[in-house]
Amino acid sequence: MEHPDPEERDEDEHLIREAEKIAVALGRMFPGLCEVVLHDLRDPDHAIRAIENNLSGRQVGDAATELGLARIADPRYPGVVQNYPNRFPDGRPAKSTSIGVKNRAGDYVAALCLNLDVSVLSPVALTLGRLVATGTEHPDEPPESLGDRTARELRAAVESHAARRGATPRSLSRDDKRELVRRLHQDGYFASRDAARTIADLLGVSRATVYNYAG
């Protein structure tokens, strides 16, 4: 991207300031549910201009993502990349949409990205699934398994436990978290590699706390 003249820089800055208002408004409309990030693609090494509902642990001034770099490199890159699967650093699933913002010269100067925390919706989905389920005599009793539990099974077990209490894993009470960890330990989930780390990330506690609960 060529260096714009002062007037073009002012116009680009105006575009980004307007996009920043949109990012803040969207984030505040969906608190705790959807992370909204505005990237200033003019400065890829310090691209994050604003972040609302910080679910990924990033900070203002952090670098652009691979998608942002792709837009910088190619003005023909799609303006909207919608509803693609993503994942937060702690393993929670996300659904993301990225919207590129071009200036009058046709160069991408910003990107507005929305990252929906799908795990927050899991209790609702699981509850609805139980309402329509048939033929399950003991729905709360997991089948016996002698093999290692996969990360997907572990995550499903944690979210199912939280859903039965009308909560998300991180919003469970300390007693509920302790009960859940003990049940996971009894059911053999700790045989999986990195199980304690996965459980700690899902519950929002330390690994030491997980081992303390399991003891």
Side-chain angles (χ1 to χ4, degrees):
M1 184 185 301
E2 296 181 359
H3 294 290
D5 62 35
E7 183 177 351
E8 289 175 334
R9 285 199 299 269
D10 289 344
E11 290 181 356
D12 292 350
E13 180 63 26
H14 176 73
L15 279 174
I16 293 173
R17 284 200 302 267
E18 292 299 299
E20 188 170 355
K21 291 192 293 187
I22 296 172
V24 172
L26 285 174
R28 292 179 181 177
M29 187 172 180
F30 302 103
L33 180 63
C34 185
E35 177 185 78
V36 184
V37 186
L38 177 65
H39 297 270
D40 182 346
L41 300 182
R42 301 172 302 172
D43 185 9
D45 290 333
H46 308 90
I48 293 185
R49 176 75 170 255
I51 183 165
E52 287 288 323
N53 290 331
N54 192 334
L55 302 175
S56 62
R58 292 174 292 174
Q59 303 296 327
V60 171
D62 281 356
T65 62
E66 293 86 348
L67 196 154
L69 296 176
R71 281 203 170 103
I72 294 171
D74 184 5
R76 296 168 300 177
Y77 197 89
V80 177
V81 182
Q82 193 159 22
N83 295 336
Y84 59 92
N86 212 337
R87 193 166 292 279
F88 292 110
D90 63 5
R92 283 173 295 160
K95 183 171 76 170
S96 298
T97 290
S98 177
I99 306 164
V101 179
K102 285 184 176 181
N103 60 14
R104 283 198 298 177
D107 296 318
Y108 282 114
V109 295
L112 184 63
C113 300
L114 294 82
N115 303 306
L116 179 68
D117 185 355
V118 179
S119 72
V120 175
L121 304 176
S122 295
V124 176
L126 288 168
T127 298
L128 291 174
R130 287 192 176 86
L131 286 174
V132 300
T134 59
T136 303
E137 189 173 353
H138 301 290
D140 294 334
E141 297 178 10
E144 182 180 27
S145 175
L146 301 178
D148 286 351
R149 303 301 186 112
T150 66
R152 180 177 297 179
E153 290 174 325
L154 178 55
R155 185 172 291 109
V158 171
E159 292 177 349
S160 177
H161 180 92
R164 289 196 293 271
R165 286 153 180 76
T168 63
R170 291 190 170 216
S171 68
L172 288 169
S173 68
R174 183 172 60 182
D175 288 342
D176 282 338
K177 289 179 180 179
R178 181 182 290 109
E179 177 190 347
L180 169 59
V181 171
R182 287 177 177 173
R183 177 176 294 183
L184 293 172
H185 188 267
Q186 293 170 359
D187 291 342
Y189 284 97
F190 277 71
S192 297
R193 185 165 62 93
D194 294 332
R197 179 187 294 276
T198 300
I199 296 169
D201 288 341
L202 289 169
L203 297 181
V205 300
S206 68
R207 279 189 292 172
T209 298
V210 170
Y211 286 121
N212 181 51
Y213 286 168

